[in-house]
Amino acid sequence: MRIIILKKDLSDLCQYFWVSENLMNLRSDIVKFGLERTPHRALWKCLGVTDEDFSKPFIGIANSFTELVPGHMHLDKLVEYVKAGIRAAGGVPFEFNTIAICDGLAMGHKGMHYSLPSREIIADSIEVMAEAYSFDGLVLLTNCDKITPGMIMAAARLDIPAIVVTGGPMLSGRYGRRRVDVAAIFEAIGEYSVGKIGAEDLRMLEECAFPTCGSCNGMYTANTMACIAEAIGLSLPGCATALAFSSKKIRIAKRSGERIVEMVRENLRPSNILTRKAFENAITIDAALGGSTNAVLHIKAIAEEAGVDLPLEVFDEISRRVPHICDMRPSGPYDMEELDAAGGVPAIMSALHDKLHLDALTVTGKTVGENIKDSRVLDWEVIRPPTNPVHKEGGIAILFGNLAPKGAVTKVTAISPRTLVFKGPARVFDSEEEALQSILNKDINMGDVIVIRYEGPKGGPGMREMLTPTASITGMGLGESVALITDGRFSGATRGPCIGHVSPEAAEGGPIAALKDGDTIIINIPERRLDVDLSDEEIKKRLASWSPRMPKIFKGYLRRYWYFVQSADKGGVLKSQP
């Protein structure tokens, strides 16, 4: 507890002096105390800060609320409970906002170029605010795709006490007895194009797909990252799966506000939590859940900010020894509501306790082992026993080969066992739009391998997701007879033999740039191979005549992003130096 003493000297000038009873200095003291901070105190008071508040921790709340994202449209309400918790614990909350892009709304057009790049803006904007105002701690109120990793990247970079509150998933939509969601509505495009459904069915799916606020209902990127935030130790237990509109989510938000003030007093920082063990725990849970391939990009980006060495091969090593025990949408039957009822992430961690680093520290101030000691699985159908898994191996596979010397990523749990080995002629397209037009025109034949290139971090620029073409393929009934590879990436809703993040990308002269129509592509997921049936000499010969292409958009922020962005195998992060 600080005591502020107002003292008048002989010249009748006012000076602030302060002493600390517990000898704990706050980071925010630099903007509060001393004669030279008189203007600062006047400005703080204009914001409603009282003299008594100056002795308390100042907590920033990075809120990604916007009126444009279904997963975030309730965060203006949820933040009030975070603030209540901060005040109850003796802190002073200050809310500010970040940008937020809904990938569903940005999908399939120019807007998707800006989705992944927005992650870096979010991280930068939080850094700017936290440093400018010298916050003592941060609450990161987030929910969807790029926003959650962007916020965690900022926390790792700043290394001040921080806690993540994810906004929670929405309920599944219902059309009669059919459960519908983002995957269903995107796949409906293909279904309609081949006459599987009529115009009225399409319209009704449109009406029913998104029934409440919150992140999409399955193990798509948003919920994958929420589960990773909890598993890595930055969210309170139960936060990831608590539904967006639930009283459970409200209680977690309030407790998170209380906890951040305690973390400031304990000086518990992200660097204490984001260790190699924590990252391995996060990858373990991702493998068990069969999460989105985007998690690979984001976990590597967070590790880069945290200064933790995390080679791409680690994802594959962990996925090979961790069973897939949760058969979640889009490839499985269960949604987030059912996962929460089954016990959520704490229950999964308890089921996999022998594969986790139980001594890893978390935002609770306790270890993973201490957090989950009383957790148990409440539904062994939703969370399967490791001895009776959905698949013996986890959800992510990292492929290498003469098409991907630096690696490629696929979601094994979304692929039929019949297509784990796939061989076929390449159908090469230099953009997502070209590929989609060919798909909808029914120019793709069974057995083809669609290649979409110049869509990587630099080639896009922005590494667009490919949900529209992949969902159209599935909707047309070609999900097990056509494969797709790209230097771009996929939505968590993607199903089928789809290989993304091919590195090096075409824009950097990777082997994918050398492909021609008719080249034989060989995908062998059990052996973790991605190859083209060409000799090294032939690939080199073709690349010798290759010349770089100008990106599709070369102005504004994307031009700056193009200059600095690194390859997908490095997480698509920006270079620290020009």
Side-chain angles (χ1 to χ4, degrees):
M1 180 70 181
R2 283 176 174 69
I3 301 172
I4 302 173
I5 303 172
L6 184 63
K7 180 179 179 181
K8 292 188 177 182
D9 63 17
L10 294 177
S11 61
D12 203 33
L13 293 175
C14 295
Q15 291 189 11
Y16 274 101
F17 298 88
W18 61 275
V19 296
S20 173
E21 292 182 352
N22 60 8
L23 301 179
M24 182 189 75
N25 293 322
L26 289 174
R27 188 171 182 266
S28 60
D29 289 347
I30 195 171
V31 294
K32 294 188 292 191
F33 296 114
L35 174 63
E36 69 278 13
R37 297 297 179 242
T38 302
H40 299 69
R41 287 189 296 275
L43 289 165
W44 287 121
K45 288 179 177 180
C46 184
L47 295 169
V49 177
T50 66
D51 283 338
E52 291 75 19
D53 287 336
F54 287 124
S55 66
K56 302 172 184 177
F58 279 16
I59 307 297
I61 305 173
N63 187 358
S64 56
F65 163 76
T66 81
E67 295 180 341
L68 290 162
V69 188
H72 298 227
M73 65 184 186
H74 63 304
L75 298 186
D76 61 330
K77 310 295 190 301
L78 196 60
V79 72
E80 297 304 322
Y81 294 92
V82 174
K83 293 176 184 177
I86 292 170
R87 293 187 182 105
V92 185
F94 296 95
E95 179 187 358
F96 62 94
N97 292 93
T98 70
I99 60 171
I101 291 176
C102 174
D103 277 14
L105 287 171
M107 195 76 66
H109 60 87
K110 179 181 178 181
M112 182 49 73
H113 287 283
Y114 291 86
S115 177
L116 182 61
S118 74
R119 185 187 69 181
E120 317 307 312
I121 295 178
I122 290 163
D124 290 349
S125 67
I126 293 172
E127 175 196 354
V128 166
M129 293 294 285
E131 295 288 20
Y133 291 100
S134 296
F135 292 131
D136 298 302
L138 284 171
V139 178
L140 306 171
L141 185 55
T142 174
N143 214 22
C144 290
D145 297 23
K146 313 306 156 301
I147 297 94
T148 298
M151 288 195 175
I152 298 175
M153 289 165 66
R157 184 187 305 172
L158 289 161
D159 199 28
I160 62 175
I163 192 167
V164 176
V165 181
T166 47
M170 67 170 63
L171 288 176
S172 295
R174 299 279 178 175
Y175 179 31
R177 302 191 70 176
R178 180 184 175 186
R179 190 178 305 184
V180 295
D181 55 13
V182 61
I185 191 63
F186 272 92
E187 290 173 9
I189 298 170
E191 292 172 348
Y192 178 76
S193 70
V194 295
K196 286 186 177 182
I197 61 173
E200 180 60 18
D201 286 325
L202 188 64
R203 189 186 72 81
M204 289 305 299
L205 287 172
E206 181 181 312
E207 294 285 337
C208 300
F210 304 106
T212 69
C213 62
S215 50
C216 297
N217 67 333
M219 200 48 60
Y220 308 112
T221 304
N223 291 323
T224 297
M225 291 310 302
C227 291
I228 284 170
E230 185 175 331
I232 211 168
L234 288 178
S235 291
L236 293 182
C239 184
T241 59
L243 294 173
F245 55 83
S246 67
S247 58
K248 178 180 177 181
K249 179 61 70 177
I250 288 171
R251 295 192 300 272
I252 289 173
K254 185 175 182 181
R255 178 61 187 133
S256 297
E258 294 170 345
R259 182 60 196 147
I260 189 60
V261 178
E262 296 165 358
M263 290 172 65
V264 169
R265 291 173 178 145
E266 297 163 8
N267 197 28
L268 178 56
R269 299 168 178 264
S271 57
N272 304 128
I273 297 168
L274 295 176
T275 63
R276 174 65 179 259
K277 289 181 178 180
F279 282 98
E280 291 183 0
N281 283 347
I283 297 169
T284 297
I285 297 308
D286 182 45
L289 287 166
S292 167
T293 52
N294 283 315
V296 178
L297 278 175
H298 299 322
I299 291 174
K300 282 192 65 68
I302 296 165
E304 178 78 15
E305 293 286 358
V308 174
D309 182 39
L310 200 67
L312 198 57
E313 290 83 352
V314 173
F315 291 83
D316 199 70
E317 292 166 4
I318 291 176
S319 196
R320 282 185 179 274
R321 60 179 170 81
V322 174
H324 174 218
I325 61 174
C326 297
D327 202 7
M328 303 295 297
R329 296 184 69 85
S331 53
Y334 300 114
D335 63 15
M336 293 301 293
E337 181 183 10
E338 291 164 310
L339 181 60
D340 188 57
V345 173
I348 299 170
M349 298 185 90
S350 69
L352 295 172
H353 67 276
D354 59 334
K355 300 185 182 299
L356 294 167
H357 299 289
L358 298 179
D359 59 340
L361 190 62
T362 73
V363 290
T364 65
K366 300 176 182 178
T367 63
V368 168
E370 291 172 313
N371 285 347
I372 67 172
K373 65 181 177 63
D374 296 322
S375 300
R376 59 190 180 93
V377 176
L378 302 176
D379 187 336
W380 287 104
E381 291 295 321
V382 178
I383 302 174
R384 298 271 286 271
T387 54
N388 182 32
V390 184
H391 298 98
K392 291 182 179 179
E393 295 185 356
I396 297 296
I398 307 298
L399 313 184
F400 293 91
N402 68 356
L403 258 184
K406 293 185 178 180
V409 182
T410 190
K411 186 175 178 177
V412 184
T413 52
I415 303 175
S416 166
R418 293 187 291 273
T419 55
L420 290 174
V421 177
F422 198 103
K423 182 177 180 180
R427 295 291 306 278
V428 182
F429 302 95
D430 288 343
S431 71
E432 177 188 1
E433 289 83 0
E434 292 176 22
L436 181 61
Q437 182 178 358
S438 187
I439 292 166
L440 294 180
N441 287 343
K442 304 181 183 62
D443 292 335
I444 301 298
N445 300 313
M446 295 177 65
D448 284 348
V449 179
I450 300 169
V451 177
I452 305 178
R453 63 190 180 189
Y454 296 102
E455 292 288 5
K458 191 176 289 289
M463 202 180 186
R464 291 191 289 177
E465 288 187 343
M466 302 290 166
L467 178 57
T468 303
T470 61
S472 297
I473 289 168
T474 300
M476 295 169 72
L478 297 174
E480 294 188 11
S481 56
V482 170
L484 190 152
I485 69 171
T486 180
D487 52 10
R489 59 195 178 90
F490 299 117
S491 161
T494 292
R495 295 191 283 170
C498 299
I499 317 297
H501 306 198
V502 172
S503 299
E505 61 175 295
E508 292 189 325
I512 193 172
L515 292 181
K516 297 179 180 179
D517 280 348
D519 288 341
T520 300
I521 307 295
I522 306 161
I523 301 168
N524 191 323
I525 293 171
E527 294 185 7
R528 303 301 198 256
R529 298 288 305 180
L530 177 63
D531 295 287
V532 57
D533 189 16
L534 296 173
S535 66
D536 292 344
E537 290 73 17
E538 176 62 21
I539 293 174
K540 289 178 182 177
K541 178 182 176 182
R542 293 186 186 184
L543 290 176
S545 60
W546 171 85
S547 58
R549 296 184 177 208
M550 289 297 292
K552 302 173 186 70
I553 302 174
F554 201 58
K555 62 180 181 179
Y557 172 57
L558 287 184
R559 181 171 183 165
R560 297 195 299 275
Y561 182 83
W562 178 88
Y563 277 118
F564 292 102
V565 71
Q566 299 185 83
S567 179
D569 63 291
K570 296 182 179 180
V573 296
L574 303 184
K575 298 174 185 175
S576 57
Q577 297 293 331

